[in-house]
Amino acid sequence: MPGRPGRSRSESEAGRKPAIPGPSGQPTRHAALHRGGRNLASGGYAQQPTVRARRRPDPLTRRQQHLSVLALVLAIALTARFVYLKTARCEHFRVLSRDLRRVRTLIATRRGEILDRNNVPLAKTCDEFQLRFDPAAFEQTWANNHSAAQRKAAALVGSLIGMEPARVLASMRAEPGPGETRRSLLIKSRLTPEEASAVEYAKAAKVGTGRREPNLLEGFVVLTQHRREYPNGASSCQILGRVTLGPRGQVRGIGGLEDWADTVLSGSVGWNNMEMKKAGVFTGRETGYRAEPVPGMDVRTTIDASIQQILSEELGRCMQEHTPLGATGIVLDPRNGDVLGMVSKPGVDLSGPDAPALIASNPELMRNRAMMLYEPGSVLKPLTVSLALEVGVVKPTEDVPCQHGYTPQARPIRCEAHRSSLPSPGQNVPRMIVAKSCNVAAAKLAVRLGATRLHEGLSRFGLFERTAIQLPGEAVGWSLTDPVRGRRSRDDVARVGFGQGITVTPLHLAAAFAVFANGGILHHPRIVRSYGYPGRPPAKEYYV
Ligand SMILES: [Zn+2]
């Protein structure tokens, strides 16, 4: 509006926004107009008080207030948390801190031996000594004159373990390779016990160092490792099994007796809690928490190492001559069922350095064929004939005619034994059926017995149940005469009579044949006689 040059921006704002609360809390339209008028009168120079009075509360200030309150709350919460942690949770964190500074080191124990019946070891544990070197420990001790001390130490160690000092020095300065770490370099493996004790003595006696000098052999450590050895070579690998390192570094048996008797053989590993200053740096103090290791027991088997060796050689010859995929042999003592020998071919020498690679490429090497299922064929005939004699369906002098062929129901059976010439009348008595291995007569006797009596009889020879031998992975046979799962037709019964349509393991067959040599009494085979600590009464015995 012309004529009102003094109208300020504040006035116009006041005019547009009359609802700004005044000091009394009521809208101050009049007051604003009045003040505006006065300002006009004074030439519009005194506007400052008007601006201050009309300014809204600064939003920043309000935000600051909120933040202050928030900070205060946070500070109170943190203080409360701090007080809580320092008082109520103090013990918990003290224990946690102590545990973090402790490292549990395992104390290895001796694995028990597997012995034959004459206490000849079939599997034993040998101590192997290794000389290792910790460069950091040496450097800490010999901070001054480090290189000269290294050469001096290499010369001393070389003379103790029969190694060129230059090679010792090179190993001390080498980068860590496989099986090594920066703080554990391998200087020499397979030290003799004399070399190991020479190094230990020289370190303890500070040989080669002056009275005021630090130890020249600082950082050198003789480690004792347990190595499993199998003195019988490849002959017993399947029955003994092997060992490997478990996830926590413990020795674990795989297959054979190493597996079956693993708990007994391994004993229990000890442990020791060591204190650390910081990660990886030990103070050398023990914390008092320690469990002593318990050595494993020796397992005494029924095996005779010399019989095992002979059996292995004979089977080796058989493998060379006939080149089968595999072969197995069992020697049983029929009087008590003791397994004197059990060999499977092919095998592998477990003490050999390349044994793990060979087994990985061909798992068949570790397969115990004495406990696998086969269709036995003609070797079952003595069992059929003996059952027929026992039941009385044939007399010992009775002639069972062969005629080269026989059809029990639908499928004809041929006789390979009498293919060229038929037996003359009166010749095919039970004894000759077994001697000549006559399929037809054995089939006829099985049919005379019938499915039920034949199956029950074969069961009494123990063919369809576990022998309970102390080895893992035993298979159990089956037959077509089985009352639940077998077809049991006349043809099936006839075939089972001469060993077809039935599966058994060689071990089951060996035990069944031992019945003939033991006056008709069946002994379940056993391979473990007892276990316990050497020189003490056995902790457990397995009776016949
Ligand atoms: Zn015949």
Side-chain angles (χ1 to χ4, degrees):
M1 184 195 261
R4 294 186 68 182
R7 186 181 175 95
S8 68
R9 191 175 168 205
S10 298
E11 284 168 352
S12 65
E13 276 180 2
R16 281 200 305 274
K17 297 174 184 172
I20 295 171
S24 61
Q26 296 298 320
T28 54
R29 184 183 176 88
H30 295 104
L33 285 174
H34 173 69
R35 281 183 193 158
R38 226 170 61 180
N39 289 342
L40 268 177
S42 62
Y45 60 87
Q47 295 172 7
Q48 197 59 32
T50 309
V51 171
R52 206 166 40 230
R54 287 174 191 167
R55 184 184 282 169
R56 288 184 295 172
D58 192 342
L60 269 180
T61 309
R62 189 172 285 178
R63 203 171 296 153
Q64 277 170 351
Q65 282 175 355
H66 288 163
L67 282 172
S68 306
V69 170
L70 193 67
L72 188 66
V73 169
L74 269 175
I76 292 170
L78 282 173
T79 311
R81 177 75 180 159
F82 179 74
V83 170
Y84 167 72
L85 292 178
K86 286 295 279 184
T87 54
R89 300 285 285 164
C90 176
E91 182 61 19
H92 167 76
F93 285 106
R94 204 177 60 75
V95 171
L96 196 66
S97 145
R98 188 195 64 196
D99 288 351
L100 283 174
R101 278 185 289 111
R102 279 179 181 176
V103 170
R104 176 167 287 191
T105 53
L106 294 182
I107 308 168
T109 185
R110 167 191 169 279
R111 189 174 175 85
E113 296 187 343
I114 301 176
L115 307 165
D116 89 336
R117 62 194 299 115
N118 303 312
N119 291 332
V120 175
L122 301 171
K124 61 181 181 180
T125 300
C126 301
D127 285 343
E128 188 182 287
F129 302 104
Q130 282 185 349
L131 183 60
R132 290 193 168 248
F133 177 62
D134 179 355
F138 191 85
E139 204 171 328
Q140 270 177 15
T141 313
W142 289 90
N144 314 319
N145 209 8
H146 175 232
S147 296
Q150 266 191 336
R151 282 193 293 277
K152 214 171 151 189
L156 173 62
V157 169
S159 70
L160 294 172
I161 63 173
M163 219 169 132
E164 285 289 320
R167 278 184 58 204
V168 177
L169 192 62
S171 303
M172 287 166 68
R173 292 174 174 173
E175 285 295 308
E180 292 178 318
T181 63
R182 290 204 167 274
R183 302 208 53 175
S184 178
L185 301 172
L186 180 67
I187 305 296
K188 188 180 178 185
S189 61
R190 300 202 178 190
L191 294 179
T192 63
E194 292 76 22
E195 288 169 350
S197 62
V199 174
E200 297 275 26
Y201 173 78
K203 188 176 176 184
K206 288 182 73 177
V207 171
T209 45
R211 281 181 64 190
R212 288 166 187 270
E213 276 183 328
N215 199 336
L216 196 58
L217 294 185
E218 195 62 47
F220 285 92
V221 181
V222 176
L223 282 186
T224 309
Q225 288 195 322
H226 304 296
R227 191 163 51 84
R228 201 70 169 157
E229 272 199 355
Y230 300 93
N232 270 36
S235 69
S236 311
C237 62
Q238 294 92 358
I239 58 167
L240 294 176
R242 61 198 170 104
V243 291
T244 186
L245 281 182
R248 290 175 55 211
Q250 75 277 28
V251 178
R252 197 159 49 92
I254 305 179
L257 288 168
E258 295 277 23
D259 181 1
W260 185 85
D262 193 34
T263 320
V264 171
L265 288 166
S266 52
S268 57
V269 177
W271 51 263
N272 190 7
N273 277 350
M274 302 291 285
E275 219 175 68
M276 282 196 307
K277 279 186 214 159
K278 56 181 182 181
V281 181
F282 290 94
T283 58
R285 280 200 298 277
E286 295 190 2
T287 55
Y289 293 94
R290 180 185 169 93
E292 292 303 325
V294 179
M297 296 184 193
D298 291 348
V299 173
R300 197 164 163 221
T301 65
T302 58
I303 295 283
D304 187 316
S306 47
I307 291 178
Q308 186 80 347
Q309 197 57 41
I310 294 166
L311 192 56
S312 176
E313 285 167 11
E314 290 301 321
L315 280 178
R317 265 194 280 278
C318 160
M319 290 289 285
Q320 276 188 346
E321 200 173 321
H322 303 288
T323 60
L325 288 175
T328 184
I330 301 161
V331 180
L332 268 187
D333 186 340
R335 295 166 301 176
N336 48 25
D338 280 0
V339 178
L340 303 176
M342 183 189 275
V343 178
S344 294
K345 294 281 178 181
V348 61
D349 184 357
L350 293 170
S351 298
D354 52 351
L358 283 171
I359 294 166
S361 64
N362 183 12
E364 288 292 309
L365 295 174
M366 292 299 285
R367 194 180 289 274
N368 189 349
R369 292 170 188 274
M371 289 163 55
M372 282 170 62
L373 288 173
Y374 295 92
E375 192 175 52
S378 293
V379 286
L380 201 83
K381 283 173 194 162
L383 308 190
T384 311
V385 173
S386 70
L387 287 172
L389 284 169
E390 186 186 65
V391 173
V393 293
V394 68
K395 292 189 176 61
T397 52
E398 186 182 335
D399 182 39
V400 184
C402 174
Q403 294 121 8
H404 180 45
Y406 168 54
T407 306
Q409 191 175 345
R411 296 172 65 191
I413 292 167
R414 305 250 170 251
C415 181
E416 291 298 314
H418 295 122
R419 190 169 55 179
S420 52
S421 61
L422 290 174
S424 45
Q427 218 180 33
N428 219 22
V429 293
R431 192 166 56 86
M432 292 309 292
I433 296 170
V434 174
K436 289 280 179 188
S437 190
C438 176
N439 283 357
V440 167
K444 282 180 175 173
L445 294 185
V447 169
R448 285 189 202 175
L449 280 166
T452 304
R453 283 192 295 191
L454 180 62
H455 193 80
E456 279 176 6
L458 295 176
S459 302
R460 278 192 285 134
F461 277 106
L463 296 189
F464 308 124
E465 61 182 15
R466 293 195 185 281
T467 63
I469 193 163
Q470 301 102 330
L471 285 172
E474 182 186 13
V476 177
W478 180 78
S479 151
L480 284 173
T481 55
D482 188 292
V484 180
R485 295 178 293 164
R487 288 186 308 211
R488 311 188 100 197
S489 73
R490 205 175 154 91
D491 275 341
D492 295 329
V493 174
R495 280 170 199 284
V496 170
F498 57 94
Q500 292 182 2
I502 176 173
T503 54
V504 292
T505 71
L507 180 65
H508 279 93
L509 263 187
F513 269 74
V515 169
F516 298 127
N518 191 41
I521 296 168
L522 173 73
H523 283 301
H524 288 293
R526 66 167 180 171
I527 196 163
V528 172
R529 181 176 278 193
S530 62
Y531 58 78
Y533 290 111
R536 289 199 225 164
K540 181 168 174 67
E541 277 188 277
Y542 291 89
Y543 295 102
V544 178

